[in-house]
């Protein structure tokens, strides 16, 4: 067996490792992502804390300055003074003290016309007249941050004297205190930075004030314009001298001036990186352990499966013991599916070994069974082929004759259809026993199939032996058979052929005998015939005729003729016999003797029979409408149609359809049909008789005339075959047969119909013997259906045969 590129355990291992790797990468990524988010969140909290502390310190300074100024104006009782002179004097006295204790750099006092009433120092750029004017307009305190070389905070406060005059007192204080407070509270370096755009479009950054100027200048040189925007929005991380710094910037009230907070986050970054490494290392270790565990588990499964896969081919080689030895491995502490598979495979090997032993034991018996028929225990077709070829080989050496007899039971299919295959099988067994009695010592008897048997007669010295055997077979089969208290009389058709040369094959001999047998079938069966070369041509013609018959009913090529029957004693019209006619479009009228035997062997006989019955009922209706009321139409019924399950329902349906009585019709059956199974025939006949339909036996005397079945069956009429009438005037034996038949039938209170009456002498003798009815060319030839009414008016005026008076 070709080794796999990847065995099943390795596929499972790779799939498991892939899944574990994906899970590990996912979990690690999520952990690292959470750590990064936590780090960013903490930095954002610290940045927001710095901004809030700046705002708080700024608010505290503003509040202190505002409270002091308001307290000073109240202290000097400005609201009770008519002008600002006293207030200016006191302000000049206390300015130095305020600069010293309140960290105020300069003080100004302006009236409502923006005239300077007091100033504590020389002119300085750190003063905003616009802010003073705005205070005068809004009459409320305002502050502003002013940055030039350094940054100060300006507070302007409106004051009011008793005269209602408004003045604005302005003070400035440095922002160094705010930076110092932020530096101490945040434990971070802080700075004030001015940013301005040069003529070339570049941004110039200038450090105004800083708690660590050297560090801030170095960091400013590393910040690009894009990174400056990042510092304003969420903070910027920079590395300098092996340290990691976070820069956060906040824009102040003074345009272009930013408060910058610099945190050394090296320790935090180091700690965070350590956590990352620990997470990665832990994930890798866990992943490795899981992979190792899966590998150990799958390795054991792989080894056991590989052991089984190597041993399984031994089963196909029927090496069962070797399979059990090679597939064995130690069971797991905790048994799993692989152990169950091994156990099942070993049990299967034991069962296969036992089964193989039984197969080998019965192989010889099966080979024997293949050469014999199970039902009759006779050799079958396989044995026939083998033995016939062997006999032909020996015949070529000994120069003797060899004969093949093909025996087929007549009308056996009807027994199977009417009584079932169980009765048919019993009948075949009895027939096989009778055929065995006819075999000589060296003869071979085989069941060819169905109801067909083949005799092979080797080592013949004369040509009469096969004919004597055929006659013996016919006599033996015709003896009555009793099965389940039912009596059967069988007949057979036998075809035979002989070979004295070694050029013929076994199949040729069987085919020739089969053709001869079918020739007997076409002639009515119950006989034997030897093969001749003309049979093959007749078979071809019969095949063509069968094909034409299949189309004849569809194309309406069939028609009916009616031959009148006469009551001999009175000459009155008794009835008619319906006769089928076939006009072929090319061949013209085909004789009935030519196509009816072929038709009876085909499947068309049943539907054609129903067509004939309906045509007869239509003709009966026409005769009634024409004034004819005393007649009976005889319809010939084939053996296949008589046992057809649809016969009785069809008769009832047609009688109801045409509103006719069954007494107008008579069904003619042959003796061979009636003797197949008397009990079955009686059941069918009783149901048909209940409809009022009559029965007649056709061609009486040519078959198996027997008083036993005549007494049992509800017959109304017996028809004597015309073959007896043709010789009754010249042959005393034929006359005696007719006379005795008429006497016997009349004692059974049945009517007698003589067929084939062609001369008045025949008619007179039949009258003398008491025959009831005559039918033949003397009375009338068959009349086509359309011409029947006119014919009766001419030849049977008032219902009496015109020839009666001649």
């Amino acid at each position: 067996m070709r080794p796999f590129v990847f065995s099943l355990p390795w596929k499972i291992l790779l799939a498991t490792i892939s899944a574990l790797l994906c899970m590990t990468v996912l979990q690690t990524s999520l952990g690292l992502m959470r750590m990064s988010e936590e780090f960013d969140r903490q930095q954002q909290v610290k940045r927001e804390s710095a901004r809030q502390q700046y705002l708080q310190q700024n608010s505290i300074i503003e509040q202190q300055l505002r409270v002091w100024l308001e307290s000073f104006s109240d202290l000097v009782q400005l609201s009770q003074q008519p002008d600002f002179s006293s207030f200016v004097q006191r302000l000049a006295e206390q300015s130095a003290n305020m600069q010293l204790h309140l960290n105020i750099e300069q003080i100004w006092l302006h009236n409502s016309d923006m005239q300077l009433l007091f100033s504590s120092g020389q002119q300085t750029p750190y003063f905003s007249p616009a802010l003073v004017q705005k205070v005068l307009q809004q009459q409320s305190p305002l502050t502003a941050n002013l940055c030039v070389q350094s940054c100060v905070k300006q507070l302007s406060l409106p004051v009011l004297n008793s005269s209602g005059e408004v003045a604005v007192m302005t003070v400035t204080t440095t922002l160094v205190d705010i930076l110092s407070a932020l530096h101490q509270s945040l434990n971070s370096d802080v700075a004030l930075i001015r940013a301005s755009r040069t003529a070339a479009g570049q941004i110039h950054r200038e450090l105004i004030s800083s708690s660590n100027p050297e560090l801030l200048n170095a960091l400013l040189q590393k910040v690009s314009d894009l990174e400056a925007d990042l510092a304003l929005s969420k903070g910027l991380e920079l590395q300098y001298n092996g340290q990691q710094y976070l820069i956060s910037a906040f824009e102040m009230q003074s345009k272009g001036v930013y408060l910058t907070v610099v945190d050394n986050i090296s320790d935090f970054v180091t700690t965070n990186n350590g956590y990352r490494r620990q997470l990665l290392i832990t994930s890798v270790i866990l992943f490795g352990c899981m992979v190792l565990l899966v590998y150990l588990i799958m390795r054991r499964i792989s080894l056991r499966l590989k052991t089984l896969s190597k041993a399984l081919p031994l089963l196909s080689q029927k090496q069962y013991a070797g399979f059990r030895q090679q597939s064995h491995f130690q069971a797991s502490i905790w048994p799993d599916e692989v152990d169950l598979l091994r156990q099942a495979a070993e049990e299967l090997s034991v069962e296969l070994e036992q089964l193989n032993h039984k197969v080998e034991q019965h192989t010889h018996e099966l080979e024997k069974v293949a050469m014999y028929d199970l039902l009759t225990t006779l050799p079958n077709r396989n044995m026939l082929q083998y033995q016939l070829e062997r006999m032909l080989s020996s015949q070529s050496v000994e120069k003797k004759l060899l004969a093949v007899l093909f025996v087929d039971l007549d009308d056996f299919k009807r027994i199977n259809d009417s009584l079932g295959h169980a009765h048919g099988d019993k009948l075949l067994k009895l027939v096989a026993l009778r055929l065995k009695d006819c075999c000589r010592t060296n003869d071979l008897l085989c069941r060819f199939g169905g109801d067909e048997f083949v005799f092979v007669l080797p080592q013949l010295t004369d040509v009469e032996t096969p004919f004597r055997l055929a006659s013996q077979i016919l006599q033996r089969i015709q003896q009555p058979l009793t099965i389940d208290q039912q009596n059967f009389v069988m007949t057979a058709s036998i075809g035979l052929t002989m070979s004295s040369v070694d050029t013929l094959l076994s199949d040729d001999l069987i085919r020739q005998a089969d053709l001869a047998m079918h020739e007997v079938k076409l002639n009515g069966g119950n006989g034997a015939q030897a093969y001749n070369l003309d049979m093959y041509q007749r078979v071809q013609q019969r095949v063509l005729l069968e094909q034409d018959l299949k189309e004849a009913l569809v194309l309406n090529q069939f028609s009916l003729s009616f031959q009148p029957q006469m009551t001999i004693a009175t000459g009155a019209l008794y009835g008619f016999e319906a006769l089928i006619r076939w006009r072929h479009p090319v061949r013209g009228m085909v004789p009935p003797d030519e196509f009816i035997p072929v038709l009876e062997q085909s499947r068309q006989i049943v539907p054609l029979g129903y067509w004939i019955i309906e045509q007869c009922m239509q003709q009966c209706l026409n005769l009634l409408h024409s004034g004819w009321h005393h007649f009976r139409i005889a319809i010939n019924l084939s053996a296949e149609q008589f046992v057809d399950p649809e016969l009785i329902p069809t008769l009832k349906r047609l009688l109801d359809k045409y509103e006719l009585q069954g007494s107008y019709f008579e069904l003619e059956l042959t003796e061979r049909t009636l003797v197949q199974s008397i009990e079955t025939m009686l059941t069918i006949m009783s149901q048909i008789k209940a409809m009022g339909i009559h029965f007649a036996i056709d061609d009486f005397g040519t078959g198996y005339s027997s008083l036993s079945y005549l007494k049992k069956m509800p017959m109304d009429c017996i028809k004597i075959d015309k073959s007896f009438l043709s010789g009754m005037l010249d042959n005393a034996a034929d006359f005696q047969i007719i006379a005795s038949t008429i006497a016997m039938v009349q004692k059974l209170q049945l009517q007698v119909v003589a067929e084939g009456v062609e001369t008045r002498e025949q008619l007179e003798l039949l009258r003398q013997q008491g025959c009831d009815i005559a039918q033949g060319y003397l009375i009338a030839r068959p009349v086509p259906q359309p011409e029947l009414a006119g014919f009766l008016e001419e030849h049977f005026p008032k219902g009496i045969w015109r020839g009666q008076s001649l």
Side-chain angles (χ1 to χ4, degrees):
M1 182 177 64
R2 183 178 63 85
F4 298 108
V5 177
F6 290 103
S7 61
L8 177 61
W10 277 108
K11 291 179 181 177
I12 298 175
L13 178 61
L14 291 175
T16 306
I17 291 176
S18 300
L20 290 175
L21 180 60
C22 292
M23 291 176 60
T24 303
V25 170
L26 180 61
Q27 292 292 339
T28 304
S29 301
L30 290 176
L32 294 175
M33 189 181 301
R34 284 197 214 94
M35 292 180 66
S36 298
E37 290 177 353
E38 182 65 22
F39 175 76
D40 293 340
R41 188 184 64 80
Q42 291 181 3
Q43 298 304 316
Q44 190 66 23
V45 169
K46 190 169 184 179
R47 182 173 179 273
E48 183 64 22
S49 175
R51 190 178 69 85
Q52 292 294 333
Q53 289 194 32
Y54 162 72
L55 295 175
Q56 183 179 5
Q57 292 295 330
N58 191 48
S59 177
I60 290 173
I61 292 176
E62 291 179 1
Q63 189 66 24
Q64 286 177 351
L65 292 175
R66 182 176 177 178
V67 170
W68 182 88
L69 293 177
E70 290 176 351
S71 300
F72 180 76
S73 63
D74 291 338
L75 183 64
V76 298
Q77 298 180 347
L78 177 61
S79 60
Q80 298 177 5
Q81 298 176 8
D83 55 21
F84 292 102
S85 58
S86 176
F87 182 74
V88 170
Q89 183 180 356
R90 294 292 300 272
L91 190 59
E93 294 174 354
Q94 295 296 327
S95 61
N97 189 29
M98 286 188 292
Q99 290 176 347
L100 178 63
H101 295 285
L102 296 176
N103 198 24
I104 293 176
E105 293 186 347
Q106 284 187 328
I107 302 173
W108 295 272
L109 183 65
H110 293 82
N111 62 11
S112 59
D113 295 330
M114 287 299 294
Q115 293 179 355
L116 183 61
L117 302 179
F118 173 80
S119 175
S120 63
Q122 68 274 18
Q123 187 176 0
T124 175
Y126 299 102
F127 176 76
S128 175
L131 183 64
V132 176
Q133 291 178 354
K134 195 172 183 180
V135 171
L136 287 173
Q137 293 173 359
Q138 297 181 2
Q139 295 295 307
S140 63
L142 294 175
T143 62
N145 293 328
L146 304 176
C147 296
V148 184
Q149 297 298 325
S150 63
C151 290
V152 298
K153 178 177 286 297
Q154 175 182 329
L155 173 62
S156 297
L157 180 71
V159 293
L160 186 68
N161 60 15
S162 61
S163 300
E165 296 178 350
V166 179
V168 177
M169 185 169 60
T170 301
V171 296
T172 59
T173 181
T174 181
L175 294 180
V176 174
D177 293 339
I178 295 178
L179 296 180
S180 177
L182 289 175
H183 175 65
Q184 293 177 0
S185 62
L186 297 176
N187 193 24
S188 302
D189 292 318
V190 294
L192 292 174
I193 299 175
R194 179 186 291 111
S196 61
R197 190 174 296 276
T198 64
Q202 297 180 347
I203 297 178
H204 175 70
R205 299 178 184 86
E206 178 184 358
L207 183 63
I208 298 175
S209 177
S210 173
S211 61
N212 191 344
E214 181 181 356
L215 175 62
L216 264 297
N217 282 322
L219 293 177
L220 285 177
Q221 296 177 1
K222 298 175 68 67
V223 177
S224 64
D225 295 346
L226 183 62
E227 291 174 333
D229 294 336
L230 185 63
L232 285 172
S233 60
K234 56 184 296 185
L236 174 65
E237 292 186 22
L238 290 177
Q239 189 174 4
Y240 176 69
N241 286 340
Q243 300 293 313
Q244 197 79 14
Y245 296 93
L246 177 65
I247 301 176
S248 301
F250 311 96
E251 189 171 10
M252 299 178 64
Q253 294 178 350
S254 181
K255 186 176 181 181
V257 179
Y258 299 90
L259 173 66
T260 303
V261 180
V262 179
D263 292 309
N264 189 337
I265 59 173
S266 299
D267 294 338
F268 184 82
V269 171
T270 301
T271 302
N272 187 61
N273 291 337
Y275 288 154
R276 290 172 181 265
R277 285 192 296 272
Q278 290 179 5
L279 178 61
L280 289 173
I281 293 172
T282 302
S283 299
V284 171
I285 292 175
L286 288 176
F287 175 75
C289 293
M290 293 174 69
V291 169
L292 179 61
L293 178 62
V294 171
Y295 171 75
L296 293 177
I297 295 174
M298 295 308 302
R299 183 174 182 275
R300 177 171 176 79
I301 296 176
S302 175
L303 291 176
R304 291 184 293 166
L305 287 177
K306 188 179 295 185
T307 301
L308 279 177
S309 64
K310 289 182 178 180
L312 279 174
L314 296 177
L315 290 178
S316 62
Q317 302 171 10
K318 300 182 180 181
Q319 300 180 21
Y320 305 108
F323 167 78
R324 290 191 291 272
Q325 181 179 2
Q326 187 169 337
S327 65
H328 184 75
F329 50 77
Q330 186 176 359
S332 305
I333 299 176
W334 297 287
D336 53 19
E337 289 80 357
V338 179
D339 296 297
L340 183 62
L341 177 62
R342 177 191 59 81
Q343 182 180 355
E346 290 185 355
E347 293 175 356
L348 176 63
S349 69
V350 174
E351 294 180 2
L352 288 175
E353 187 174 16
Q354 295 174 353
L355 179 61
N356 184 65
H357 180 67
K358 291 180 180 179
V359 169
E360 290 178 351
Q361 281 184 333
H362 295 302
T363 297
H364 184 64
E365 297 177 8
L366 291 175
E367 290 175 352
K368 288 184 177 180
V369 170
M371 303 298 283
Y372 288 87
D373 178 58
L374 297 179
L375 179 65
T376 61
T377 69
L378 293 176
N380 60 16
R381 187 182 300 188
N382 296 330
M383 179 66 80
L384 170 65
Q385 192 77 20
Y386 171 74
Q387 292 291 350
L388 187 54
E389 290 177 356
R390 186 181 62 82
M391 292 176 182
L392 288 173
S393 299
S394 62
Q395 171 192 323
S396 62
V397 177
E398 300 176 3
K399 304 297 181 182
K400 291 185 178 181
L401 296 174
L402 180 143
V404 175
L405 278 69
F406 202 105
V407 181
D408 183 90
L409 302 180
D410 296 330
D411 300 322
F412 179 77
K413 179 179 180 297
R414 190 163 60 254
I415 295 177
N416 272 341
D417 294 340
S418 60
L419 301 179
H421 290 276
H423 279 75
D425 290 345
K426 293 178 181 179
L427 191 60
L428 286 174
K429 289 181 180 179
L430 293 178
V431 171
L433 292 176
R434 292 186 177 183
L435 294 178
K436 284 182 180 179
D437 295 339
C438 300
C439 277
R440 302 178 305 169
T441 304
N442 296 328
D443 294 344
L444 175 65
L445 171 62
C446 301
R447 184 188 178 193
F448 193 75
D451 61 337
E452 299 172 338
F453 298 87
V454 174
F455 283 86
V456 180
L457 283 62
Q459 308 295 326
L460 295 179
T461 56
D462 64 280
V463 297
E464 298 298 329
T465 301
F467 293 94
R468 288 195 296 270
L469 176 61
S471 178
Q472 181 183 357
I473 293 172
L474 291 174
Q475 294 176 5
R476 191 76 177 89
I477 288 180
Q478 289 178 10
Q479 296 176 6
L481 296 167
T482 302
I483 299 176
D484 295 338
Q485 299 180 352
Q486 294 191 43
N487 295 324
F488 297 89
V489 177
M490 301 296 299
T491 61
S493 299
I494 303 176
L496 60 90
T497 185
M498 285 181 287
S499 171
S500 59
V501 296
D502 57 355
T503 56
L504 288 177
L505 300 176
S506 58
D507 290 340
D508 296 331
L509 289 174
I510 295 174
R511 179 178 55 81
Q512 292 176 1
D514 188 19
L515 287 176
M517 181 271 294
H518 279 90
E519 192 76 14
V520 178
K521 288 277 187 185
L522 291 177
N523 294 326
N526 190 25
Q529 186 168 344
Y531 172 80
N532 58 64
L533 295 178
D534 296 335
M535 289 182 179
Y536 181 72
Q537 295 180 352
R538 288 197 294 271
V539 167
Q540 286 184 320
Q541 294 176 357
R542 187 167 64 245
V543 170
L544 294 176
L545 192 62
E546 288 177 355
Q547 293 176 353
D548 291 341
L549 281 171
K550 292 179 181 178
E551 300 178 355
L553 182 59
V554 179
L555 300 177
N556 296 320
Q557 296 176 3
F558 289 111
S559 63
L560 289 182
S561 292
F562 293 87
Q563 187 171 25
Q565 298 171 336
M566 178 193 72
T567 303
I568 296 177
T570 63
L573 177 68
Y574 175 79
F576 313 91
E577 180 180 5
L579 302 173
I580 187 72
R581 295 293 183 262
W582 179 22
R583 181 178 294 276
H584 192 276
V586 178
R587 301 171 59 182
M589 293 299 297
V590 183
D593 293 342
E594 182 176 343
F595 74 85
I596 287 180
V598 178
L599 190 63
E600 289 178 344
Q601 298 296 323
S602 69
R603 296 182 179 179
Q604 303 299 317
I605 188 65
V606 175
L608 179 61
Y610 289 130
W611 179 83
I612 293 173
I613 292 173
E614 185 164 10
Q615 292 294 315
C616 289
M617 290 193 178
Q618 290 179 0
Q619 184 60 44
C620 177
L621 197 62
N622 293 334
L623 291 172
L624 291 173
H625 290 164
S626 300
W628 300 91
H629 298 283
H630 302 289
F631 61 86
R632 185 182 297 177
I633 299 178
I635 305 171
N636 289 281
L637 209 63
S638 66
E640 288 77 8
Q641 190 163 22
F642 187 65
V643 296
D644 185 65
E646 296 297 320
L647 175 63
I648 295 175
T650 301
L651 289 173
K652 290 181 179 179
R653 179 178 58 82
L654 292 177
L655 288 174
D656 293 340
K657 176 180 177 180
Y658 294 101
E659 298 180 354
L660 295 173
Q661 296 179 1
S663 59
Y664 287 108
F665 302 98
E666 180 179 84
L667 300 181
E668 293 187 0
L669 305 172
T670 62
E671 292 178 89
R672 186 166 40 180
T673 301
L674 295 173
V675 300
Q676 297 301 320
S677 174
I678 296 177
E679 286 74 10
T680 302
M681 299 300 112
L682 285 174
T683 302
I684 298 174
M685 293 176 70
S686 63
Q687 297 181 46
I688 296 177
K689 286 288 289 184
M691 304 180 201
I693 299 175
H694 305 281
F695 281 101
I697 298 178
D698 194 17
D699 300 334
F700 185 80
T702 60
Y704 315 99
S705 304
S706 172
L707 290 175
S708 61
Y709 75 81
L710 283 178
K711 291 188 297 182
K712 292 180 181 180
M713 293 184 175
M715 287 295 168
D716 300 283
C717 184
I718 300 297
K719 300 187 71 173
I720 300 175
D721 188 74
K722 62 182 179 181
S723 61
F724 295 104
L725 266 73
S726 61
M728 65 180 296
L729 298 177
D730 303 322
N731 191 327
D734 287 346
F735 178 78
Q736 290 299 325
I737 290 175
I738 292 175
S740 60
T741 299
I742 294 173
M744 176 191 67
V745 172
Q746 288 180 341
K747 289 181 180 180
L748 294 174
Q749 298 181 350
L750 303 177
Q751 288 184 318
V752 181
V753 178
E755 292 183 307
V757 179
E758 298 181 355
T759 64
R760 287 191 173 274
E761 290 79 4
Q762 293 174 338
L763 181 62
E764 185 61 29
L765 280 176
L766 291 172
R767 180 182 290 112
Q768 294 174 5
Q769 296 301 318
C771 183
D772 300 298
I773 302 162
Q775 175 184 342
Y777 286 175
L778 176 64
I779 294 91
R781 290 178 176 272
V783 181
Q785 184 176 355
E787 304 173 8
L788 183 60
F791 178 86
L792 293 177
E793 292 292 338
E794 180 180 354
H795 295 276
F796 284 87
K798 297 182 180 181
I800 303 299
W801 179 47
R802 183 181 294 275
Q804 182 75 6
S805 59
L806 298 178

